[in-house]
Amino acid sequence: QGKGTKMTEFWLISAPGEKTCQQTWEKLHAATTKHNNLSTNSKFNIPDLKVGTLDVLVGLSDELAKLDAFVESVVKKVAQYMADVLEDSKDKVQENLLANGGKVHPSQIHPSGLLEQQWQAEHKFYSSSLDTVPFLFVFKGVNQIDNDLKARASAYNNLKGNLQNLERKNAGSLLTRSLADIVKKEDFVLDSEYLVTLLVIVPKLNYNDWVKQYETLAEMVVPRSSNVLFEDQDSYLCNVTLFRKAVDDFKHKAREYKFMVRDFQYNEEEMKADKEEMNRLSTDKKKQFGPLVRWLKVNFSEAFIAWIHVKALRVFVESVLRYGLPVNFQAMLLQPNKKTMKKLREVLYELYKHLDSSAAAIIDATMDIPGLNLSQQEYYPYVYYKIDCNLLEFK
């Protein structure tokens, strides 16, 4: 989020139609723009859905609350995994999290525009009646995304983990790291019946001792057979050639001087296999990266759109429960300005407090009132849902 940008949070609210719904919209718009633009507003037109009985609506209200939480969690998971996959380029996450088929970033989305296109496409699911059809439809789609994400993430993470383990083997101090990528064939006396080359880690502080001592640490050390092959911050990696039968003696004596003999067999086949495995994993990871990011983009968009749908259905159901029938309300989408959110709340309260003279009494009531979700601890005289796109901000 750069400085001075808008909040990536939307308030989806609804109020009853006055003489007309247009009038409700104009009244809100005037009230929020009168005091130097408290929010950016747009109409959020929800098509008329056929309404069942009150009991059905109360049931739907609960189902929708659960569905909302589920879909939001999947939207977050996809976004979070996108950030994991993009590793070093987290700043690219934002441009990859685009909704509506990749055309707009959620913080700039007007969910209303997005929805209208969607309703057109999926009207058949909603026009029947407001029962469980839309839920199953949304749940199935999002559940599928959730399951696919688990499978894809698990495969990719496996690959990434194996690659990291190999990379770790080739890093770290000379005492523990793999030496395969450091040593060369010519550093060793190979295929000799009597002679063998050892690799020794010599602390830099003790290097002068090594040069003086190594030929005398055991019988049968080949004179001038030691070279420095590699160094890290603290130590040198040296080779030394001696007769096989003197090896144990040499190791034992070397330890007293803090010279560490590494267990190492020069084996070209093994080293080659390791290198090939690393190349294979690295190529595999690169191959999977593109399609995975594309999948995440597309499915982020799908999940986000589904989420906005659920919000729309919730507004519809709550509005009917609160304002009664016939269906007559205007849903509106507000994008608050960060600095004036408190003021915006006050303006909305003034505008709509008449809807609910008993709002104060309701807060004390323990009875279950449709449309009043006490767990949210946010009750307003108007129907209100937050669409929080901050969940898609990565630091």
Side-chain angles (χ1 to χ4, degrees):
Q1 272 306 75
K3 287 190 180 62
T5 49
K6 281 224 173 67
M7 282 291 280
T8 41
E9 177 180 304
F10 295 92
W11 295 356
L12 184 50
I13 70 168
S14 85
E18 315 241 337
K19 287 202 182 70
T20 62
C21 286
Q22 178 60 20
Q23 215 175 339
T24 307
W25 156 249
E26 283 166 6
K27 207 165 170 181
L28 168 99
H29 197 56
T32 56
T33 45
K34 190 167 64 189
H35 310 271
N36 72 27
N37 283 1
L38 298 176
S39 56
T40 311
N41 312 321
S42 61
K43 277 185 183 174
F44 192 96
N45 292 322
I46 301 173
D48 273 353
L49 305 169
K50 292 199 182 73
V51 179
T53 62
L54 194 63
D55 281 358
V56 169
L57 284 180
V58 173
L60 283 182
S61 176
D62 290 346
E63 287 303 305
L64 276 169
K66 289 179 203 142
L67 189 58
D68 192 353
F70 169 66
V71 178
E72 178 176 345
S73 76
V74 175
V75 169
K76 276 186 185 160
K77 271 189 233 172
V78 177
Q80 188 56 62
Y81 194 61
M82 174 80 86
D84 291 353
V85 168
L86 289 173
E87 290 171 30
D88 307 327
S89 43
K90 280 215 171 96
D91 47 338
K92 298 237 169 37
V93 176
Q94 292 299 8
E95 62 202 55
N96 281 301
L97 291 181
L98 299 172
N100 202 14
K103 296 187 198 56
V104 272
H105 183 260
S107 62
Q108 279 108 45
I109 280 185
H110 254 231
S112 55
L114 196 125
L115 255 177
E116 277 169 25
Q117 296 165 22
Q118 289 299 108
W119 288 118
Q120 304 314 317
E122 286 152 20
H123 219 188
K124 56 183 182 296
F125 289 103
Y126 296 97
S127 51
S128 48
S129 78
L130 188 56
D131 55 15
T132 51
V133 177
F135 301 86
L136 285 174
F137 168 67
V138 170
F139 177 76
K140 265 193 184 141
V142 178
N143 200 34
Q144 184 65 48
I145 292 174
D146 196 32
N147 291 334
D148 286 357
L149 178 65
K150 281 186 194 121
R152 282 164 189 268
S154 151
Y156 188 75
N157 291 353
N158 238 335
L159 192 59
K160 199 160 118 179
N162 292 341
L163 188 58
Q164 278 167 343
N165 286 341
L166 276 182
E167 283 165 350
R168 213 168 285 131
K169 266 169 73 177
N170 292 329
S173 91
L174 282 170
L175 291 169
T176 53
R177 63 167 290 170
S178 156
L179 303 174
D181 58 332
I182 293 174
V183 296
K184 300 180 187 61
K185 195 171 182 173
E186 51 269 26
D187 299 330
F188 296 82
V189 171
L190 297 168
D191 310 321
S192 158
E193 202 179 323
Y194 301 108
L195 292 173
V196 64
T197 301
L198 301 179
L199 294 181
V200 186
I201 314 300
V202 178
K204 287 187 173 173
L205 297 170
N206 308 39
Y207 181 65
N208 288 339
D209 293 347
W210 169 257
V211 175
K212 282 195 210 111
Q213 308 281 359
Y214 80 87
E215 293 175 0
T216 58
L217 288 177
E219 309 263 305
M220 308 185 190
V221 175
V222 177
R224 291 195 297 284
S225 62
S226 177
N227 296 296
V228 172
L229 309 179
F230 188 82
E231 61 176 288
D232 67 8
Q233 259 180 317
D234 311 305
S235 316
Y236 292 112
L237 173 69
C238 303
N239 60 353
V240 59
T241 300
L242 60 159
F243 277 75
R244 285 181 190 275
K245 58 183 180 189
V247 167
D248 286 342
D249 213 13
F250 183 89
K251 278 186 180 170
H252 189 69
K253 204 75 195 267
R255 203 170 297 130
E256 290 174 22
Y257 286 96
K258 300 198 169 71
F259 308 144
M260 273 291 302
V261 178
R262 280 280 306 254
D263 247 352
F264 184 85
Q265 306 289 311
Y266 184 85
N267 180 331
E268 221 154 357
E269 292 305 301
E270 253 176 53
M271 284 156 61
K272 204 170 133 206
D274 260 7
K275 211 166 237 158
E276 279 168 3
E277 173 70 351
M278 194 145 166
N279 288 341
R280 189 184 65 75
L281 290 172
S282 176
T283 313
D284 258 11
K285 188 181 161 198
K286 284 193 190 96
K287 256 197 211 132
Q288 287 193 22
F289 178 81
L292 180 60
V293 170
R294 274 196 298 282
W295 184 90
L296 287 165
K297 274 176 145 170
V298 168
N299 287 280
F300 173 78
S301 177
E302 289 294 304
F304 190 84
I305 288 166
W307 190 35
I308 303 298
H309 268 242
V310 175
K311 295 285 190 199
L313 288 168
R314 290 190 81 180
V315 167
F316 184 87
V317 170
E318 297 299 322
S319 299
V320 174
L321 286 173
R322 283 214 206 173
Y323 310 142
L325 288 168
V327 174
N328 179 26
F329 67 89
Q330 177 64 54
M332 297 162 283
L333 188 74
L334 282 52
Q335 188 177 11
N337 287 332
K338 198 171 188 168
K339 292 196 176 71
T340 52
M341 283 170 101
K342 202 162 168 287
K343 178 74 181 147
L344 178 61
R345 277 278 177 233
E346 287 160 13
V347 167
L348 292 177
Y349 183 73
E350 282 308 311
L351 206 53
Y352 299 124
K353 63 181 179 198
H354 66 279
L355 295 176
D356 196 357
S357 50
S358 57
I362 287 180
I363 299 292
D364 302 331
T366 45
M367 53 187 271
D368 192 22
I369 293 168
L372 169 55
N373 181 352
L374 280 176
S375 64
Q376 268 186 331
Q377 289 305 318
E378 286 185 294
Y379 177 79
Y380 301 101
Y382 45 93
V383 170
Y384 159 79
Y385 290 103
K386 182 159 82 169
I387 302 172
D388 184 3
C389 299
N390 294 313
L391 58 98
L392 316 171
E393 296 296 322
F394 293 95
K395 300 296 170 261

